[in-house]
Amino acid sequence: MKKSVYSGVFILVLGIFLVGTVQAQGVSKTVFNADKYFKIRNYNEALKLYLEAIEAGEGDALVYYNAGVCYEQSFEINEQVKAIPYFEQAVKLGKDQLPPKLLFDMAAVYHLDGQVEKAIDFYQQYKAVLKDERAEIQKVDRALEIANNALIMMSSPKDISIHNFGQVINSSYTEYNPVVSADESVMAYTALRPNTGKTRSNEEFIEEVYISYNQSGTWSQPEKIEITSNYNVGTAGLSADGQRMLIFIGAAEGAGNLYSIDKSGKEWSIPTTLGPKINTIRHLESTASITPDGKTMYFASNRPGGYGGLDIYQIKKLESGEWGEAVNLGPKINSKYNEDAPFIHPDQWTLFFTSDGHNTMGGRDIFVTRLFNDEWTKPENMGYPINTTADDNYFTLTADGRKGYFSSNRKGGNGGQDIYTIDMPEEEANVPLTMIKGRILDGETGQPLPTQIYMIDNESGKKLDFVYQPDPKTGNYLIILPPAKNYDMIIESEGFLPYTLNINIPGQTYFYELFQMIYLKTIKQFDVVVGQSVEVKNAFYDTHEDAVTDFRKTHESALIKSDSIDVYDLMNDLIAASDEKGIEYLTSLIYMTNSIDDVSFDSSQELEQATRVYYYDESDESKFEKKEVDGKTIFSLPTMYVTEEAEKQKAEKANQPVTYDKSLLNKVSKLYFDVSKSELKNSYHEELDKVIDALKKYPELGVQISGYASAEGNEEFNKKLSNERAIAVLDYINQKGEIVRRRIIAKAFGATKNAGGNAEESRRVEVELVALDQASR
């Protein structure tokens, strides 16, 4: 009996021992296999096996440490910070058994997680165990410097709102480098997407360019811009009007260059290189930003001769239109680390960029510098929570200074980097620029006209370039102008003589938009063009702040006036004003984008409207003005001073009493002609003399002459005959009355379609008096 009991106990103990031995062997084998993956840096597969071993009871400190390293090497920040409990457990199980680098790794993930005080503690512990390792000491000193930066900035956060763009734009992959037009109507960005095998088959992910359009505050579903390349493509910059995009196209061995593509409607052209002054052969040019006048570009490059990594360069156009030599912005801006993603604001003196140097608080941060007296100020970290201990980069600011766009891989995102927007602090937001959004249309058809626009600064006589050409598919144009300046807007539209609009930008201390519609019509007499009319409608040129407020549907109130400003000369003395009701303003303005399609050009009380009619054969109106534009001579019709003309026409309409008997407009005189003849009969002279007398007496009246013919004969003959009959009447009026052409509306209609079977009724000319302010030409 005892023998059986002892035997059973022995067998049970042996079984437990064997099971434990097998399990231990299994755990060891799992760890062994994990270590093999770990050594070849296949951290994904290594992590799976380390976690399996830990779940099975592995208690080796090194296994926990390696699992933490695998998490630390993850692509997603939300995964990276999962390293913390594994590092902490590794320390508990035996810090002395682990490499000293554990302390640095722990500090790094604490820092990334925002636990900065713990990060500083472990950085200091790591530094204490270092001896004569100079490079490693420099590395930890820099880490301590960055951590202390983060501690200071996080202890005094800025009171601002930051918004994730949401799932319309952001996905579980990476979206970064948003480039946005000045009016926020279009945004393009770079997206990292799985390689479907169609291109660049050696890469798991590829970079592509996507674009989205702002439709009354709602962003459209992004569409990929098809750009043919064997390498990655990405956004680099966008012109203020959204018509030209600067893109990056990669090359072999980490190189890549900058190109441009131009927009027509929703189509984009093939890429065009920015040229050898900007691009290099074996180095990297990554991002760029161009001023609204098109004359200065800022770009990032790691070409030789810099201060380390990527540096920011400035390049200017020469008088010839070619780019000059690129100039490094110098050690105040460029550090021994990377400076990238320059964005020059439309004010032309505020430059944003990304850097992992200077006083970054961790990873890449966004910095701002300003140009004063031809020198850049010391870069300023934009602070927490714009910047975090993660990567925050690729910043762009709207023309009005109210809203910023950037990308970040901070915690809480959808995956990888996401695109975010910032409600800028009121004291930093106000930018006193004028943004003109306009459209040029054929007044008869409502269709856009191929047009070239030149903006001339009347003080300097210089032309502003680049952003002012209307989209050929929509007729839309966008212009950004500084305050206290006067410009001539010279316009060449296909089918019309060049004309000039004068635009006076007052010295306002706040940002506002001017919406402008220009309608062009040819004036014909008997199918011959004798003049043209230019109608300008400005929906909201009144720069009083209460009117701006009403139009933009915001709560912006009185702004404190800034010091004297000279924006065009780099706005050296501009100081952003503060708004006492900024909080109310922010909630209403941030998500509002005014589109020209949303503007009523018929009912606005603040509408400024003026029409100028030019007749080519009248000496007082056809006196062309000679304009010199970059060596090109343009003969323009006399300048139309829109504001003054609108006020004058409005006053005339309000104050001018009707002096004529309106019954005069109801009478139609019919003058009949013989078959196939165009001679005016003497019997009608007396009737026409009465019309001439009325024209002489009432200058606000004009005469409309309409010629007809009967249906006999072909269409061309009938049209010619109706012309000749109307011309006979016109000649009589001209000879007898000396009435200027602007008061005569003459048309020929060819064969009469509805004469009631009366052949004589078809062979007629109708003459009637019309009010000039209501006449249709």
Side-chain angles (χ1 to χ4, degrees), residues 526-540:
F526 314 118
D527 297 329
V528 177
V529 177
V530 297
Q532 70 187 52
S533 71
V534 180
E535 181 182 13
V536 181
K537 293 184 177 182
N538 290 335
F540 193 76

Side-chain angles (χ1 to χ4, degrees), residues 615-627:
Y615 283 87
Y616 304 152
D617 65 345
E618 294 181 14
S619 60
D620 61 328
E621 294 294 352
S622 62
K623 189 177 181 181
F624 285 91
E625 297 175 348
K626 186 177 179 181
K627 309 283 186 178

Side-chain angles (χ1 to χ4, degrees), residues 169-171 173-178 188-194 200 205-211 222-224 232-235 417 419:
I169 301 296
N170 295 321
S171 70
Y173 303 107
T174 281
E175 291 78 29
Y176 72 98
N177 197 6
Y189 59 93
T190 306
L192 197 66
R193 294 292 183 263
R200 306 185 289 279
F205 292 91
I206 57 175
E207 291 176 331
E208 299 171 328
V209 175
Y210 282 77
I211 193 164
E223 301 173 2
K224 186 174 77 169
N232 286 322
V233 295
T235 48
Q417 289 193 61
I419 294 173

Side-chain angles (χ1 to χ4, degrees), residues 187-222:
M187 177 179 71
Y189 59 93
T190 306
L192 197 66
R193 294 292 183 263
N195 191 351
T196 58
K198 294 180 181 179
T199 58
R200 306 185 289 279
S201 58
N202 292 333
E203 301 179 25
E204 183 180 357
F205 292 91
I206 57 175
E207 291 176 331
E208 299 171 328
V209 175
Y210 282 77
I211 193 164
S212 177
Y213 296 93
N214 192 338
Q215 300 165 343
S216 300
T218 301
W219 289 94
S220 67
Q221 191 67 32

Side-chain angles (χ1 to χ4, degrees), residues 262-279:
D262 293 312
K263 181 174 177 286
S264 177
K266 287 195 175 183
E267 300 298 321
W268 292 87
S269 67
I270 62 174
T272 302
T273 179
L274 295 188
K277 296 291 186 180
I278 295 172
N279 290 323

Side-chain angles (χ1 to χ4, degrees), residues 27 31 35 50 53-54 57-67 86 89-91 93-94 97-98:
V27 170
V31 171
D35 288 342
Y50 283 135
I54 290 171
E58 174 61 54
D60 188 345
L62 187 60
V63 171
Y64 277 87
Y65 170 65
N66 286 352
Y86 292 90
Q89 184 63 19
V91 171
L93 291 173
Q97 305 172 23
L98 301 172

Side-chain angles (χ1 to χ4, degrees), residues 67 102 104 107 110 194 210 216 250 282 286 299 307 339 373 533 543 561 574 581 653 682 767:
L102 164 68
F104 187 89
Y110 276 133
Y210 282 77
S216 300
R282 296 182 180 86
S286 58
F299 66 95
Y307 293 88
E339 280 69 43
N373 299 322
S533 71
T543 60
K561 290 188 176 181
L574 178 62
K581 296 187 178 180
K653 188 174 182 180
N682 292 338
V767 180

